Amino acid sequence: MKHWILPILTAALLPAFAGGGRAQQILLNELPVQEAPLAPSERSAESAVPRMDWSPAAPAATAEVTDMLPVLLPLRPTMPQGAETEGYRVQGQFGEARFVLFLPSAAEGAELELTTLSSINLLPEQSNIRVEVNGTTIGTIIPDNFDKAGTDALAIPGGALKPGRNVVTLRFQQVHRVFCGPDAAFDLWTHVLLSQSGIRVAPGDFGADAPGFLAAVAAQLGRGKPLVVAETTGSTDVASLSSAMARVESLFEGLPPEIEITDPYAVATTPPALARVTLLPDETSPPDLPQFRRGGDGALVLVANAAHPEQVAEVMLGAFGEGHPANPVPTLQPGTTRSLADLGVGRLVGQGHYIRETVRFRLPWDWLVLSAQRAELRLDYGFDRNLPKGALLLVKINDATVHLLPLDEDDKAGQRVETLRIPFAANMLEPGVNHLTFEALVPGDPPDEACAPRSTPIFEIFDTTTLDIPTAPSMSVARLDQVLAGLSPESVRLSEAAGEALPLGLLPRLASVFVGQNTEGPGPASLTIGVPSDLSTLGGRILGDATSTLQEAMLIAPRPEPKDIDTWAKVDGGRWWQAVYDPAKAGAIVRTFRDRLAAIWRGPQSELDAWLDGRAADAMLLQPDLDRPGNIWLILRPNLPLEKLVASLIHGGGTLDIPRGQVSLFTPDAGWQSWHSSARRLELHEPLTLDNARKVVGNYASLAPPVFIVPMLALSLVSAILAMGVMIITRRRKK
């Protein structure tokens, strides 16, 4: 080591050892003397060791207290829109959206906050959103938030709000800034951010009563948190808990909220919960339960006896009634002419350049027409003057067009047109919910400019329009949607394997879909929720040997959509004589002929294995045994997000996309895809008479061709033999 390094190291270490040899002084608790902190030694100029700061650390900033901040009571849509829970989108030139708002009190002097984000194609100078609360217009908002979401606030006049359930209606008028026409209407949309829209109230406004509890639950759901039900493990029957909580969930309308069933000693959430349900063991429950109490974390707690969870439903339903169905579907009785007014539907007014107005009605579960009978629509309508050339009105039954009406005829414009009789095939209708749709396409005039304001509607459908549906013998055929329509919350259960693999809160959420349904049907109905491993335990004629194929459908990923086929790709790809004779094409023709011949015998349905080939599913509904058609299964993948599935079961979210047949596969993107078994049987629920014999035979011949073909062939053969016998006998007599 070089000699000049030692002096430098000595100089550098001296400050570190300065004062280090002094003994420490021990301070006793009762002595007030406290040694002052030692000042750090000054660093010598030549020292390379940094000076350490031994002074006490600065105290941490006090956490902001948020417990007393106003709580947002969010808007909840009355009809679910797919899996959307954070937002609600209104598309087109004209639209309407209805929401419910739960308040703990009347909230006088409150403001309604509406956070929106709109398409850049929207022209704000001619667009607006009219806001109504419980039927009272409180103001108009201009949708001008394009690059990011923005919030508008409207003062609510006194007396417009009430404790409990309030209805907020938004009426949209949106105009394209560049184009006009049906295509331009699809580029117009406004997104309402539900978690940031509603009314803010102070935490102290949540009273310890049913309205306060329901409002606190709604606010908690708006934060993306589930309703927590704390119960002692094993002390509560899951089935009875599910039925009670399902009825409570029905109060919220739209998409049922998520429920999390946990034990009382679970880790507290951050931020603290606003509301929860606690079920106490029967042996420790006070006699005066249920009660609303304030928890240690400030949450409103509904305390009930675990042995009687139905008390929770009694308290809530006693305060609010049995819920409010978002869109009750009226029943149309066949054999009688019923008008739209009889169905509770008023005059339909069409505005904009793409219009779709739908009337939903229900036919009885035992109404079935499969043969060639006719129904009739008597349409009373009118349309505006000076509509562009090419304007059309399409009349549809269950999304199938039955008539096309021009709206550019000047001699009929501006007046009520003479009643138009539109006959259509009655077998286009089905037992259960049906749709009568009026769809208008009006070109822009001109198409490359913003649409000119129009004060009069494009068309009107008057409430004197009538439907005449023919009567049918009381018959039914096994199908999934018929069983779903007859379910109640008590008839939904979990399989043993599903109880271990799926969260228990899933059961009341799915069961709430069937609250308040008309449970009439051919027999008892039940739904068992299972997992893919349950498929191997199911028997029945329907599944047969397809169990492994069904399990594969739950495991494989969906296939991508096929790309466009290049018709020139295989030109000159083989021998010249393959243009005349191709063995592959010849084999395909033979298979097609064979399938069509088999379809004559069994009907147009394919075999289940062939239908499942290449299909994937996140969930599936099954009717495994036709001898017990009321027992159906819902098979779910574990960890499957339930929002879209639950929304599709609520009348298909207002659409025709519902499970049918005997096997139905569900994916969030494609919805339900259904398979109908050729082995399903018709059931006649009334005596066979001369009056209904023709219709009964027609239904059998349409559904089961062998039942019709075999007797006809036998009758033809017998007739031919008799005819030949008569000819032989008469010839012998002539000789």
Side-chain angles (χ1 to χ4, degrees):
M1 179 181 291
K2 295 185 179 181
H3 297 287
W4 57 270
I5 298 179
L6 186 59
I8 295 177
L9 290 176
T10 303
L13 294 175
L14 279 176
F17 290 101
R22 183 180 300 176
Q24 293 183 351
Q25 182 180 5
I26 299 176
L27 299 179
L28 301 178
N29 291 335
E30 62 271 12
L31 297 178
V33 181
Q34 184 174 359
E35 184 180 10
L38 297 176
S41 304
E42 294 185 2
R43 184 177 55 179
S44 58
E46 66 274 18
S47 174
V49 179
R51 183 178 63 184
M52 304 298 294
D53 185 6
W54 299 103
S55 58
T62 304
E64 183 181 0
V65 179
T66 59
D67 292 345
M68 298 307 295
L69 292 178
V71 177
L72 178 68
L73 302 178
L75 300 178
R76 291 186 58 85
T78 58
M79 178 60 72
Q81 194 176 60
E84 283 290 341
T85 56
E86 295 292 327
Y88 192 93
R89 174 170 292 196
V90 176
Q91 191 169 22
Q93 288 181 270
F94 293 87
E96 178 180 310
R98 288 168 55 87
F99 306 91
V100 290
L101 183 67
F102 297 100
L103 295 179
S105 59
E108 296 294 336
E111 287 187 341
L112 176 65
E113 298 180 6
L114 197 64
T115 302
T116 60
L117 178 66
S118 299
S119 166
I120 191 61
N121 298 310
L122 192 143
L123 180 63
E125 290 79 9
Q126 298 184 24
S127 305
N128 62 79
I129 305 173
R130 193 176 71 190
V131 184
E132 299 177 2
V133 175
N134 293 329
T136 301
T137 301
I138 65 171
T140 301
I141 291 175
I142 304 301
D144 54 1
N145 303 310
F146 303 124
D147 54 346
K148 62 179 181 179
T151 302
D152 297 275
L154 292 175
I156 302 177
L161 295 173
K162 59 183 180 181
R165 180 181 184 269
N166 296 265
V167 179
V168 177
T169 305
L170 306 181
R171 304 185 188 277
F172 293 77
Q173 180 177 352
Q174 305 178 121
V175 178
H176 201 291
R177 66 173 70 230
V178 178
F179 300 110
C180 182
D183 294 336
F186 289 96
D187 294 331
L188 299 173
W189 53 264
T190 294
H191 198 72
V192 182
L193 278 69
L194 301 178
S195 59
Q196 303 177 36
S197 300
I199 293 177
R200 296 187 183 274
V201 298
D205 292 342
F206 293 100
D209 52 16
F213 180 79
L214 194 66
V217 172
Q220 182 167 304
L221 296 173
R223 296 178 175 180
K225 303 295 183 181
L227 170 61
V228 175
V229 178
E231 59 97 14
T232 304
T233 304
S235 64
T236 304
D237 179 30
V238 176
S240 62
L241 175 62
S242 169
S243 176
M245 296 308 300
R247 285 180 163 78
V248 174
E249 284 193 289
S250 67
L251 294 172
F252 291 94
E253 306 180 35
L255 191 66
E258 180 183 358
I259 288 183
E260 180 181 347
I261 301 176
T262 182
D263 62 84
Y265 308 105
V267 179
T269 59
T270 303
L274 296 174
R276 63 176 173 269
V277 178
T278 297
L279 301 178
L280 300 179
D282 186 35
E283 58 273 11
T284 60
S285 295
D288 56 349
L289 295 184
Q291 290 182 357
F292 292 99
R293 299 178 182 177
R294 186 73 64 177
D297 56 354
L300 269 176
V301 184
L302 176 54
V303 184
N305 190 330
H308 303 284
E310 69 279 0
Q311 294 176 348
V312 177
E314 292 174 1
V315 170
M316 301 305 298
L317 298 179
F320 297 99
E322 288 289 337
H324 302 267
N327 288 302
V329 182
T331 299
L332 192 154
Q333 195 64 35
T336 59
T337 301
R338 301 289 300 276
S339 66
L340 296 185
D342 296 334
L343 297 176
V345 179
R347 181 172 58 103
L348 301 179
V349 177
Q351 294 179 301
H353 287 259
Y354 176 77
I355 310 162
R356 187 178 177 91
E357 297 288 341
T358 298
V359 177
R360 300 199 302 164
F361 60 93
R362 185 188 300 274
L363 291 175
W365 66 268
D366 59 346
W367 182 90
L368 185 65
V369 171
L370 301 177
S371 57
Q373 296 188 54
R374 306 296 287 178
E376 188 175 72
L377 170 70
R378 295 184 180 93
L379 180 62
D380 291 332
Y381 75 107
F383 54 92
D384 199 12
R385 294 184 175 89
N386 302 321
L387 293 180
K389 293 297 181 182
L392 297 173
L393 175 63
L394 284 70
V395 182
K396 297 184 174 184
I397 297 292
N398 290 337
D399 268 354
T401 302
V402 296
H403 204 82
L404 189 149
L405 297 171
L407 299 181
D408 54 2
E409 298 179 348
D410 295 335
D411 57 333
K412 297 181 180 179
Q415 59 183 325
R416 180 166 176 158
V417 181
E418 183 180 355
T419 300
L420 178 65
R421 304 181 66 172
I422 304 176
F424 60 93
N427 56 18
M428 299 176 67
L429 300 170
E430 297 183 348
V433 178
N434 294 267
H435 289 195
L436 169 63
T437 303
F438 302 96
E439 186 176 22
L441 305 170
V442 182
D445 187 19
D448 55 353
E449 294 181 7
C451 296
R454 180 183 289 271
S455 58
T456 54
I458 298 295
F459 70 83
E460 296 181 62
I461 306 296
F462 299 102
D463 59 3
T464 54
T465 297
T466 61
L467 270 170
D468 188 5
I469 309 298
T471 58
S474 180
M475 302 182 72
S476 65
V477 64
R479 46 193 295 166
L480 286 168
D481 55 327
Q482 180 176 282
V483 180
L484 290 173
L487 290 173
S488 64
E490 293 80 8
S491 57
V492 182
R493 68 180 185 88
L494 285 173
S495 70
E496 184 177 351
E500 298 176 356
L502 300 176
L504 296 180
L506 174 148
L507 184 59
R509 192 178 193 187
L510 281 172
S512 65
V513 173
F514 310 108
V515 172
Q517 285 198 152
N518 183 4
T519 56
E520 294 182 359
S526 66
L527 172 65
T528 304
I529 302 172
V531 291
S533 60
D534 286 317
L535 288 171
S536 59
T537 65
L538 301 181
R541 181 180 176 185
I542 295 298
L543 300 186
D545 299 329
T547 301
S548 59
T549 312
L550 287 169
Q551 290 176 333
E552 290 176 4
M554 299 288 290
L555 299 176
I556 64 175
R559 287 185 178 180
E561 292 292 331
K563 298 181 179 180
D564 295 336
I565 299 175
D566 184 4
T567 55
W568 296 94
K570 295 185 178 181
V571 173
D572 295 334
R575 304 281 184 179
W576 64 268
W577 47 265
Q578 288 184 347
V580 180
Y581 173 71
D582 188 346
K585 291 183 179 179
I589 293 174
V590 172
R591 287 191 298 271
T592 302
F593 177 76
R594 182 191 61 194
D595 293 341
R596 290 183 178 179
L597 188 62
I600 295 176
W601 180 260
R602 70 166 188 266
Q605 297 81 14
S606 61
E607 296 298 330
L608 181 56
D609 274 329
W611 182 81
L612 287 171
D613 184 32
R615 297 180 186 267
D618 292 324
M620 61 176 62
L621 267 167
L622 307 172
Q623 192 176 45
D625 191 355
L626 290 180
D627 293 329
R628 295 181 298 169
N631 298 338
I632 62 175
W633 282 71
L634 174 62
I635 306 297
L636 301 177
R637 281 182 178 176
N639 303 320
L640 170 68
L642 289 178
E643 283 74 16
K644 280 194 175 181
L645 174 65
V646 175
S648 69
L649 293 175
I650 305 175
H651 298 307
T655 69
L656 293 171
D657 182 23
I658 59 175
R660 307 176 189 272
Q662 280 63 57
V663 176
S664 193
L665 308 183
F666 176 81
T667 56
D669 296 330
W672 292 100
Q673 304 174 63
S674 300
W675 172 81
H676 300 263
S677 171
S678 59
R680 54 187 179 152
R681 299 185 296 268
L682 279 172
E683 293 187 15
L684 181 63
H685 304 288
E686 65 180 34
L688 182 63
T689 63
L690 291 177
D691 294 334
N692 63 13
R694 184 175 63 87
K695 295 180 180 179
V696 171
V697 172
N699 282 343
Y700 272 103
S702 301
L703 181 69
V707 177
F708 176 75
I709 293 174
V710 171
M712 290 299 295
L713 289 176
L715 182 61
S716 300
L717 181 61
V718 171
S719 300
I721 293 174
L722 291 176
M724 291 179 62
V726 171
M727 291 176 60
I728 293 173
I729 293 174
T730 53
R731 284 191 175 186
R732 287 179 177 177
R733 288 180 178 178
K734 288 181 180 180
K735 291 180 179 180

